[in-house]
Amino acid sequence: MALRHPPLVRVAHHRGGGNPARRHRSPLAELGGGLRPLPVLDHSALRMAGAALAALSTGVVFACQQAMGASWRLAPDPGEHPLLITTGPFRLVRNPILTTLAVMTGALALTVPNALALAGTAAVLIGNELQVRHVEEPYLMGIHGTAYQEYTARTGRFLPLLGRRK
């Protein structure tokens, strides 16, 4: 009895023929027009690690959302005044959800290691920075004042100790 692979693995194997270097390319990128993997990142171990880290990140994002409780929202609403959450993952960094989403995006880029995936990761990092600096932080400073200012002085923006306000 022949070993059956999932459809995408069969497509990737078919498209790559017997060449191991081509066999592990992203099937969708390859079928879609030839986005080639970056050789330095094109390793099965990195792809597997990326997939595992992306899956783990999904759980971490959910846990961070749960830690926010009723204060969780997708975007600031000027009509609402949610509590300032400084416990749980928010004790370590001010934006653990965005940090984890950036990690997830980088991890997914490892599963499809091409220039477009890396550009997407860079776009997420830039977007997170702009969102936090120009939307979320001014909003939270406006509704929490001194409490938020003290929180920003002791807690990093995306990584512990980095991005603290003086």
Side-chain angles (χ1 to χ4, degrees), residues 12-34:
H13 181 68
H14 171 73
R15 294 283 295 166
N19 181 345
R22 291 191 64 204
R23 187 178 314 136
H24 299 291
R25 286 190 189 153
S26 163
L28 297 177
E30 192 168 312
L31 289 173

Side-chain angles (χ1 to χ4, degrees), residues 4 12 22 34 67 72 74 94 108 111 137 139 146:
R4 300 269 309 156
R22 291 191 64 204
W72 164 246
L74 287 174
R94 297 193 307 267
L108 290 171
T111 67
E137 287 182 347
Y139 169 73
T146 303

Side-chain angles (χ1 to χ4, degrees), residues 8-9 12-13 16 19-31 34-56 103-115 117-118:
L8 287 179
V9 173
H13 181 68
N19 181 345
R22 291 191 64 204
R23 187 178 314 136
H24 299 291
R25 286 190 189 153
S26 163
L28 297 177
E30 192 168 312
L31 289 173
L35 277 178
R36 301 208 181 275
L38 300 170
V40 69
L41 297 175
D42 191 19
H43 302 283
S44 294
L46 285 177
R47 290 175 185 262
M48 297 291 264
L53 186 56
L56 177 65
V103 168
M104 181 189 299
T105 304
L108 290 171
L110 288 177
T111 67
V112 187
N114 59 51
L118 292 181

Side-chain angles (χ1 to χ4, degrees), residues 92-93 155-162 164:
L92 302 172
V93 293
T155 310
R157 182 177 282 125
F158 295 111
L159 297 172
L161 305 178
L162 297 176
R164 293 182 296 175

